[in-house]
Amino acid sequence: MYDEICYKQHFLKQVIARVDFFTPVSELEKAPSPKLTASISRIFPIIEPVDVLATSFQVSPGAQPKQQDEKHKLWNYFGKNREKQLSLSSQSVFVVYNKYTTFEELKIEFLSVITLLDNEYKDITVGRFGLRYINTLEHIKLKVPTVWRKYINKKLLEPVSFFTGKREGKLTRLFHVAELKFDEMNIKFQFGMPNPDFPAIIKRPVFVLDIDASVSMAHKLNDVAAYMDKAHENIQSLFEDSITPELREMMNGTKTVATI
């Protein structure tokens, strides 16, 4: 339904795709294979491995909790302008795009790594897959910084009118969390006015639409492509239902908005 939608400008702050392995891939603790590194470096040419400290606690009846610290290697790869990042460890692989173009580009780049992992390391099982789109609407001129009815679906804004009516108290933050289930896929939708000046009253118009789709069940690496398509479809559908035609006009370039 939304396959052909591609806005000239958008409000995406970050897009994240992530796979958590069901069990650690021990070979990745030492270093990714030369073939894998070479392939990743063609898309993410800057390599910066780091050591990450993971802390866990063991709790036994009648005994003090025991803390256990373990060091893990995190292999970070960045785009040439650091506009995107791929991180690989024995426990997960994920990409973060701070400058987003299209879902097709994200999918090609992320799945190319997933395919290589599937070829290089046999029998990897995925414990969780996730795709997250964080939209931050800002730099939009509003007469009142809490009145978003011109750009956001009025049904999402009903609590705003409750708190901004004739009450003496001034709104300092209003944020909601809704969780949905589509068969095996879960959607966590966070939306509202986080207020960058909190705990001061809201003075700057900022509205967030943060949609996170995930599958938390064991599956194969080659299932990720299908889950990624389904996650994107659900995310885009929810986003489109959340905005108004006026915002679409702005994002299509027929109305002006300051560059973010």
Side-chain angles (χ1 to χ4, degrees):
M1 180 178 179
Y2 300 108
D3 291 346
E4 297 180 0
I5 293 178
C6 185
Y7 294 113
K8 293 180 180 179
Q9 50 191 355
H10 55 70
F11 294 94
L12 282 164
K13 282 295 185 182
Q14 273 192 340
V15 177
I16 304 162
R18 180 181 179 112
V19 163
D20 291 292
F21 306 134
F22 191 77
T23 56
V25 182
S26 57
E27 296 93 333
L28 290 172
E29 189 61 47
K30 299 175 183 178
S33 70
K35 182 179 179 181
L36 182 58
T37 298
S39 296
I40 293 174
S41 298
R42 285 196 285 269
I43 306 172
F44 302 85
I46 301 172
I47 306 175
E48 293 182 0
V50 296
D51 290 318
V52 177
L53 185 65
T55 301
S56 60
F57 291 90
Q58 292 182 341
V59 180
S60 301
Q64 291 291 328
K66 293 182 179 179
Q67 179 177 324
Q68 185 174 359
D69 296 327
E70 292 183 1
K71 281 187 177 180
H72 297 282
K73 205 73 173 181
L74 184 64
W75 303 90
N76 290 319
Y77 304 81
F78 296 88
K80 62 180 180 180
N81 297 314
R82 293 184 177 270
E83 76 286 2
K84 55 188 175 183
Q85 173 185 351
L86 182 139
S87 294
L88 178 63
S89 72
S90 61
Q91 299 177 340
S92 65
V93 57
F94 63 89
V95 288
V96 179
Y97 285 71
N98 298 312
K99 187 177 180 181
Y100 180 79
T101 53
T102 64
F103 172 66
E104 287 71 27
E105 180 178 331
L106 164 67
K107 183 180 175 182
I108 289 170
E109 293 183 349
F110 186 59
L111 291 183
S112 67
V113 178
I114 295 299
T115 301
L116 284 165
L117 284 170
D118 200 22
N119 293 334
E120 289 287 296
Y121 309 102
K122 300 300 180 183
D123 301 322
I124 293 180
T125 301
V126 178
R128 182 186 184 276
F129 163 76
L131 181 65
R132 183 178 182 184
Y133 280 64
I134 305 172
N135 298 271
T136 302
L137 279 63
E138 56 185 342
H139 305 298
I140 295 177
K141 291 182 180 180
L142 298 179
K143 291 182 179 180
V144 181
T146 57
V147 178
W148 284 91
R149 58 178 175 267
K150 187 175 181 180
Y151 302 110
I152 300 296
N153 188 319
K154 63 181 180 180
K155 292 182 180 180
L156 289 183
L157 298 175
E158 289 178 356
V160 179
S161 59
F162 178 82
F163 289 106
T164 58
K166 297 181 180 180
R167 297 180 183 276
E168 294 182 5
K170 300 296 183 181
L171 198 62
T172 60
R173 182 163 59 192
L174 188 61
F175 215 67
H176 313 272
V177 179
E179 301 203 24
L180 310 167
K181 194 167 187 66
F182 298 85
D183 297 324
E184 71 274 27
M185 183 163 290
N186 299 304
I187 303 287
K188 185 176 183 180
F189 182 25
Q190 301 180 91
F191 62 96
M193 296 174 284
N195 188 12
D197 303 313
F198 181 85
I201 63 172
I202 296 176
K203 293 182 179 178
R204 287 190 283 168
V206 179
F207 201 97
V208 170
L209 298 167
D210 178 354
I211 311 173
D212 187 357
S214 63
V215 176
S216 297
M217 55 179 279
H219 57 275
K220 297 178 180 179
L221 272 174
N222 57 20
D223 291 331
V224 169
Y227 284 135
M228 197 168 185
D229 283 336
K230 186 175 181 181
H232 180 256
E233 181 183 341
N234 286 327
I235 289 170
Q236 193 164 33
S237 175
L238 191 53
F239 175 76
E240 291 296 326
D241 287 344
S242 300
I243 65 175
T244 65
E246 285 84 354
L247 188 63
R248 290 189 188 91
E249 288 181 24
M250 183 180 290
M251 295 170 69
N252 280 324
T254 54
K255 287 188 177 181
T256 57
V257 57
T259 303
I260 41 179

